[in-house]
């Protein structure tokens, strides 16, 4: 039990108790531990590749008909052949159509491969770590 002020002797020296408080201060430093060297190389490779090409050839065959018709025939197809009627008007006492000829048009598709030379780029990357000497601690 602690004595109250009235219980202290009159000639007694007061007791002083220091109160201490500590603080923490943190600091950070950037420390280089090494470096990286990156090298990039571009290689140019030449390759021959087959490039598919499409070619269409059209054959036109003229077929003489020389037949009179009452009206113009429509364009028609017989298999892969497109038939286009060619007409001419003739002046007579009466007008009538003469089917002079037909064009038989056939489409033929040819696929060829042609060697082509192309340049392709390829990149290559190398790296190495370069250590740095240690730095002395700062006071």
């Amino acid at each position: 039990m602690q004595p109250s002020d009235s219980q202290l002797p009159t000639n007694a020296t007061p007791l002083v108790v220091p109160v201490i408080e500590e603080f923490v201060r943190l600091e950070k430093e950037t420390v280089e531990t090494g470096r990286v060297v990156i090298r990039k190389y571009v290689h140019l490779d030449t390759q021959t590749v087959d490039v598919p090409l499409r070619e269409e050839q059209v054959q036109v065959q003229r077929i003489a008909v020389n037949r009179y018709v009452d009206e113009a025939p429509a364009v028609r197809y017989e298999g892969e052949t497109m038939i286009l009627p060619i007409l001419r008007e003739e002046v007579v006492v009466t007008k009538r159509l003469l089917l002079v000829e037909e064009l038989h048009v056939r489409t033929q598709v040819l696929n060829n491969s042609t060697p082509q030379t192309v340049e392709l780029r390829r990149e290559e990357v190398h790296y190495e770590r370069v250590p740095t000497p240690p730095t002395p601690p700062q006071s």
Side-chain angles (χ1 to χ4, degrees), residues 11 14 43 51 61 68 86 95 101 126 131:
N11 61 355
H43 299 281
V51 178
Q61 182 182 6
Y68 290 103
I86 306 297
K95 183 168 75 170
E101 65 180 341
H126 294 278

Side-chain angles (χ1 to χ4, degrees), residues 63-102:
I63 307 294
V65 176
N66 292 320
R67 179 182 60 198
Y68 290 103
V69 292
D70 294 328
E71 61 182 37
V75 174
R76 68 182 193 276
Y77 287 88
E78 289 181 5
E80 293 181 358
T81 303
M82 177 175 56
I83 300 175
L84 301 166
I86 306 297
L87 302 170
R88 175 180 75 202
E89 290 182 341
E90 291 183 349
V91 178
V92 268
V93 177
T94 58
K95 183 168 75 170
R96 55 189 175 174
L97 294 174
L98 173 65
L99 180 58
V100 178
E101 65 180 341
E102 293 177 333

Side-chain angles (χ1 to χ4, degrees), residues 14-28:
L15 179 63
V16 177
V17 178
V19 177
I20 298 174
E21 182 177 359
E22 292 182 340
F23 293 95
V24 174
R25 188 172 120 186
L26 297 177
E27 292 182 11
K28 292 193 313 184

